[in-house]
Amino acid sequence: MKVTVLNPEEVKCLFEHWGTFAKVCYDSKGSAAAIGKHCMASGHFSGSRSRYIEFLIEDCPRFLIDQLIRKEVGTCKNVQSFRYVNKDTFAYEIPRDITDNPKLVTKYTRHMNDACELYGEIQHYVHMKSGSKERANEQARYVLPMSTHGAVAIGFTIESLIEYCHKRLCVRTEDVHHELAKMIRDEAVAILPELETHLAAQCEYLTWCPEGKGCGRYPKRGEKK
């Protein structure tokens, strides 16, 4: 997978924009950036909701994209269309727990090659029949596996990004999604280091575990001393 911040210059100005938008509340006269940072520290996010940190995520399995775009509040997104994008040589993810079994990997790879071949046959037939590349892709995509690599552009408000990291940096998250969350966090922190303590697993942020089934790293709320 590859993660790129699409609007780094705008992200660098996040606190300034935030403070400029928020200082009307108290008719504040100080530095806009300082006001924005104070708002984040105190949990007042209303002034930040007009700004997004935008990420381009490439070479990402489609099942992971489907999980990612379930996040509705404070996000905007566009997903690569398998109708308009030709996938006749699609890349795909191999289940990590079978990589130590050469026989299973071989069988899995054969299955993917067969799917790719069938995709091409359907695509060719429908294109010859209809004359439409779009229609050919649309009909051929029926055979694409959930592990087919695609791309998605997603924007988070800072409030939404914090909540996303709280959930998806938890070690109980599916491994490939946990990896993506770390990449998203690292790209954001590289631009705004002030975000690092906020973009963490919820247990690290709270110092107690809110999950029904914890990993044991932090105590439950009632157990916290």
Side-chain angles (χ1 to χ4, degrees):
M1 290 183 290
K2 180 182 178 183
V3 176
T4 306
V5 176
L6 294 175
N7 59 336
E9 294 306 313
E10 185 176 350
V11 173
K12 289 176 184 177
C13 298
L14 173 65
F15 292 116
E16 185 176 351
H17 289 305
W18 189 343
T20 299
F21 198 82
K23 65 182 181 179
V24 66
C25 295
Y26 301 104
D27 197 22
S28 303
K29 305 300 183 185
S31 159
I35 293 169
K37 291 177 183 180
H38 174 76
C39 286
M40 185 172 73
S42 58
H44 291 86
F45 287 94
S46 57
S48 69
R49 292 175 188 151
S50 66
R51 302 288 170 173
Y52 289 87
I53 302 178
E54 300 169 1
F55 300 91
L56 174 64
I57 302 166
E58 301 172 282
D59 299 322
C60 182
R62 186 56 184 253
F63 66 80
L64 178 50
I65 292 174
D66 287 351
Q67 290 178 14
L68 181 65
I69 64 174
R70 278 166 30 202
K71 180 144 184 52
E72 290 290 341
V73 179
T75 64
C76 58
K77 52 260 186 178
N78 278 292
V79 177
Q80 184 182 77
S81 171
F82 289 173
R83 182 185 186 190
Y84 296 103
V85 177
N86 182 5
K87 289 291 179 179
D88 60 354
T89 55
F90 64 86
Y92 56 84
E93 203 81 2
I94 296 177
R96 296 178 182 184
D97 284 0
I98 72 166
T99 55
D100 60 347
N101 187 322
K103 184 177 179 180
L104 268 181
V105 171
T106 298
K107 193 171 184 178
Y108 180 85
T109 303
R110 188 185 310 124
H111 171 78
M112 292 300 183
N113 290 339
D114 289 343
C116 187
E117 182 179 351
L118 179 57
Y119 178 98
E121 290 176 2
I122 294 172
Q123 186 186 53
H124 176 73
Y125 175 74
V126 175
H127 186 222
M128 294 294 293
K129 182 178 178 180
S130 67
S132 169
K133 291 183 179 179
E134 177 186 317
R135 183 67 176 173
N137 291 342
E138 177 188 275
Q139 296 295 291
R141 68 178 172 170
Y142 279 60
V143 304
L144 289 175
M146 287 294 289
S147 61
T148 302
H149 283 186
V152 58
I154 184 166
F156 293 91
T157 64
I158 184 57
E159 187 177 12
S160 180
L161 182 60
I162 289 171
E163 195 272 341
Y164 168 78
C165 287
H166 281 181
K167 296 294 188 291
R168 295 303 186 176
L169 289 174
C170 172
V171 296
R172 296 185 65 248
T173 301
E174 183 179 5
D175 52 4
V176 66
H177 202 158
H178 189 255
E179 178 183 325
L180 174 61
K182 288 193 290 185
M183 295 172 72
I184 288 173
R185 176 203 60 198
D186 290 348
E187 290 299 314
V189 169
I191 298 172
L192 279 183
E194 295 93 337
L195 300 180
E196 185 168 11
T197 57
H198 295 269
L199 303 184
Q202 196 166 20
C203 60
E204 294 178 11
Y205 190 75
L206 298 173
T207 69
W208 56 272
C209 175
E211 292 287 322
K213 294 180 179 179
C215 68
R217 187 178 172 195
Y218 283 88
K220 297 293 185 181
R221 185 173 191 175
E223 300 167 349
K224 181 174 169 56
K225 297 179 180 179

